[in-house]
Structures are given as C-alpha cells and as structure tokens.
C-alpha cells in the first residue's frame, strides 16, 4: 500500500493535468468549426509578432469574410447556416499550410496567421482560399447547390504594421476595401493606410 500512497497523488495530479489540457483545448477552439477561436488568435498573434520581430522574419495575417452568407440563414435557417460555416472552415483549413494558424474570428469571419510569410506568399494563400470557396458547392449534402464567395484582406509585418493590433486593423481595413469594391477578391493592405 506504500507505493499506492506515493503514486496516488501523482496519478491524481496527472489526471488533473489531462483534464485541464482538455478544458484548455475547448477554450481555444471554436465549438462549431473546431478551428481556433478569436481569443486564441489574439494570443497566437501576439506571440508570432514578437517572434517575427525578434528574428527579423515576415509575418502575414489574412482576414476572410464570406460574401452573401446572411442569405443562407435567411433562406434556409440557422442550422443550414451553421453547416455552411463548418464547410467553409474545412475549405479554408484545407487551403492553408501546415504551419498556418486558422481561426474563426466570429460570425462568418475567419482569420489566418501565416508565420515566416511575406506578402507574395500570403497573396498566394489568399488566392487559393478565395478560389476554393468560390468553387465549393455548399450544403450539397442537404440537396442544396449554394455558392458563396470570399473577401480577403492581407496584411504583412513589417511592411504595413509594427505590432499585432496594427496588423489586425490593416487586414480588416483591406478586407472592407474588397467588400466596398463588390466582394469576391483579395486586397493587400498598403503601408500607412
């Protein structure tokens, strides 16, 4: 029984650690899409911007907004809308690279952190995502044939921003420029804008 007395607390501590890890996993992922959530995106972005600055490496951020998404909710209900978001998340994740951090920012907005990636590489990933979203048939499993497009804003450190907050603002502003232009496109943030 002596061994059990010694091992008991350690086993309990391990259980607690595993449970905590599981709970943390839940709190950093979006319930619906299983991508990272906005909270984790913020943590990761701060970490990655510090690393990029320290190592003098580029870092890019993509903001993606699904065009016309509201019409799915309006026409087919929120469950269909949720399923479409899951599909969009899978398309985006599948278009990203292994090292990219993919998050659902909220609603029908997604964001990607692209470590070690300059604007050229970021634009390639953005175009792949824009193209695949446009070609995807949403809710085919429900017998529907819905097509959506995406507006993508791209911002790169250190070109247009020096810190995480500025990078977010730049990517967001670039995405809205696509929206204003008629959607389904990509815009790189310009320096000093």
């Amino acid at each position: 029984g002596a061994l059990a007395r010694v091992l008991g607390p350690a086993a309990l501590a391990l259980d607690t650690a595993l449970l905590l890890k599981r709970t943390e996993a839940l709190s950093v992922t979006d319930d619906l899409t299983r991508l990272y959530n906005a909270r984790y995106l913020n943590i990761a972005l701060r970490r990655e911007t510090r690393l990029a600055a320290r190592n003098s490496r580029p870092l890019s951020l993509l903001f993606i907004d699904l065009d016309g998404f509201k019409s799915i909710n309006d026409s087919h209900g929120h469950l269909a809308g949720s399923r479409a978001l899951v599909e969009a998340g899978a398309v985006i994740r599948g278009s990203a690279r292994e090292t990219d951090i993919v998050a659902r920012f909220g609603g029908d907005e997604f964001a990607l952190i692209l470590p070690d990636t300059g604007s050229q590489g970021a634009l390639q990933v953005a175009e792949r995502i824009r193209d695949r979203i446009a070609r995807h048939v949403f809710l085919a499993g429900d017998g529907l044939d819905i097509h959506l497009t995406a507006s993508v804003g791209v911002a790169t450190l250190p070109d247009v921003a020096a810190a995480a907050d500025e990078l977010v603002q730049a990517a967001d502003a670039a995405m809205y420029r696509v929206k204003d232009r008629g959607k389904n496109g990509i815009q790189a943030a310009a320096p000093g804008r």
Side-chain angles (χ1 to χ4, degrees):
L3 191 62
R5 271 203 307 279
V6 175
L7 283 179
L12 190 64
L14 187 65
D15 274 355
T16 311
L18 284 173
L19 193 65
L20 197 65
K21 206 164 171 56
R22 209 161 290 150
T23 315
E24 278 170 3
L26 287 175
S27 66
V28 301
T29 52
D30 169 56
D31 286 345
L32 185 64
T33 60
R34 298 279 172 243
L35 298 173
Y36 287 115
N37 60 21
R39 194 175 121 216
Y40 181 79
L41 182 83
N42 282 321
I43 295 166
L45 189 59
R46 285 179 201 293
R47 182 187 69 218
E48 294 296 335
T49 46
R50 277 197 305 269
L51 274 172
R54 195 161 61 223
N55 302 323
S56 303
R57 302 288 300 162
L59 172 81
S60 291
L61 178 69
L62 265 51
F63 258 32
I64 302 155
D65 189 271
L66 297 177
D67 307 320
F69 175 76
K70 196 178 165 305
S71 65
I72 295 183
N73 277 340
D74 294 347
S75 309
H76 305 285
H78 285 281
L79 270 177
S82 293
R83 281 201 290 279
L85 283 175
V86 171
E87 288 181 31
V91 171
I92 292 167
R93 172 72 270 185
S95 308
R97 300 158 310 177
E98 207 51 49
T99 48
D100 300 335
I101 296 165
V102 186
R104 179 182 173 206
F105 199 65
D108 59 346
E109 280 193 352
F110 297 84
L112 280 80
I113 302 171
L114 282 53
D116 279 333
T117 307
S119 58
Q120 277 316 106
L123 287 169
Q124 283 171 355
V125 175
E127 176 52 37
R128 188 160 61 233
I129 289 170
R130 191 208 60 75
D131 178 57
R132 288 188 188 171
I133 290 282
R135 284 192 287 130
H136 184 77
V137 178
F138 284 88
L139 303 174
D142 298 335
L144 296 170
D145 178 359
I146 295 172
H147 290 268
L148 295 173
T149 56
S151 298
V152 189
V154 182
T156 302
L157 201 87
D159 311 5
V160 299
D165 301 352
E166 293 171 23
L167 201 61
V168 168
Q169 283 162 359
D172 195 46
M175 183 192 76
Y176 277 104
R177 283 213 286 285
V178 179
K179 287 269 187 218
D180 293 342
R181 257 204 329 261
K183 306 172 175 157
N184 190 24
I186 293 162
Q187 175 71 51
R193 291 282 289 281

